Structures are given as structure tokens and as C-alpha cells.
Amino acid sequence: HFTGKVFVTLKHELALIFIEKNTYSEREIPARYINDGTLRLLAILAELYSDASVILLDEIENGFNPAIIERLMKIVMSTDKQVVMTTHSPDILQYIPDDDADDVIRLIYRSKSGKSKNLKFLEIPGVEQRLGVLSPGETFLDINLAEAIEQFEENPEEEKA
């Protein structure tokens, strides 16, 4: 059984201590002895269960094994909060229901002119045809994104039609 406490030290630093309890004993474990993945998971969960209405998560998959990611994504997908995530991993897209993919997945890229642009999932050339057969993550893996972006940049109105 683990609990924790957060406090401010005499040097005005924030400290986190984990407390491991069992039937026979209790011991304190300073956060510096806990691995980064565990600390990151606790930070994400704390935000998800906080009063915040919008949460920003950068590369949510970093530092976690697939079993943790699956559980974490179920929590993220079930929250009422607005969650903005970045990822370089198509695996994360596996947890997005197909019906929600176009509403929640965006491809952010730099155009040839150097401007940042974004495409809704179904605006990416080739996605709509594949999505009936493949999951969102498999679809991203199956498409050459550089070619799709180039094709979209050449004919943006054609893809939206």
C-alpha cells in the first residue's frame, strides 16, 4: 500500500515522499528514488483528477510500457476534461475510436513556406479510404505522410471536396 505527501522544505523546495505501508512496517521513500516513469504517471494522473478543465500532455507515451499506456489512454479517453496531447507514436492512435478520429486527430506539419499547418484526420489524402479497414494508428503507418502532405498542398480544395 502506497500513499504520499508533498511538503515544502526549509530551503523552500517542494518535496515529494512516498510512504510504503504493510502489516508490519511503514517506510518513507523520497521521490528521487522513484523511477521517472512512475513520477510521470503520477503527475499525469494528478492532472487528470485535478480541477483543471484543460490538460496539455506532451508525448504521453514517453517512459511507459504498452500495458501502462493502454490503461492510461482509457482514463484519458473517459475524462470529461479537454485533453490536448502530442505524440509521435501511431500506437497512441489505436485508442481513439474510429468514429471520433476526424474530430480529435490532427496532423501538424511545416509547409514548404515554413508555416505550421494542421490537417484534420480525414483531410489527409488516403485516410478516408483506409479507415474503413484499418484503425487510425494502422492508417497512419500505412500512409506516406510526406507524400500525402505534398499531395494536399498541391490540391487542397480537391481533398476537402
Side-chain angles (χ1 to χ4, degrees):
H1 175 81
F2 281 95
T3 60
K5 61 183 176 180
V6 177
F7 59 94
V8 178
T9 68
L10 294 174
K11 294 181 180 180
H12 302 287
E13 298 171 335
L14 192 61
L16 173 63
I17 299 286
F18 291 89
I19 302 166
E20 180 183 21
K21 294 181 181 181
N22 62 40
T23 306
Y24 307 105
S25 67
E26 176 178 309
R27 71 181 180 139
E28 292 187 353
I29 305 168
R32 68 179 172 268
Y33 296 118
I34 305 297
N35 70 52
D36 289 344
T38 300
L39 293 173
R40 191 162 192 274
L41 178 62
L42 289 171
I44 291 170
L45 291 173
E47 282 300 312
L48 288 169
Y49 290 103
S50 74
D51 292 335
S53 59
V54 178
I55 299 170
L56 306 174
L57 300 171
D58 186 31
E59 297 184 25
I60 192 170
E61 70 279 3
N62 282 350
F64 301 128
N65 68 45
I68 297 295
I69 286 292
E70 181 176 3
R71 291 185 200 139
L72 182 57
M73 286 302 296
K74 284 180 181 176
I75 294 168
V76 168
M77 294 303 295
S78 67
T79 187
D80 292 336
K81 300 171 188 279
Q82 181 174 357
V83 180
V84 178
M85 292 186 294
T86 65
T87 186
H88 294 275
S89 172
D91 292 338
I92 295 299
L93 303 181
Q94 300 298 91
Y95 303 103
I96 310 291
D98 290 358
D99 294 342
D100 295 338
D102 195 45
D103 292 330
V104 301
I105 300 173
R106 299 286 186 273
L107 173 66
I108 311 290
Y109 69 96
R110 182 169 290 141
S111 69
K112 289 181 181 178
S113 66
K115 294 181 180 176
S116 293
K117 294 190 173 185
N118 80 81
L119 290 176
K120 290 178 78 171
F121 195 56
L122 292 179
E123 290 177 339
I124 302 169
V127 164
E128 196 164 7
Q129 301 87 321
R130 289 172 174 85
L131 199 53
V133 178
L134 303 173
S135 70
E138 292 168 328
T139 298
F140 257 177
L141 286 173
D142 196 53
I143 289 179
N144 180 323
L145 291 176
E147 288 177 9
I149 290 168
E150 188 173 315
Q151 181 181 345
F152 179 82
E153 290 283 312
E154 290 172 3
N155 304 298
E157 294 308 313
E158 181 181 303
E159 291 300 326
K160 290 181 183 177

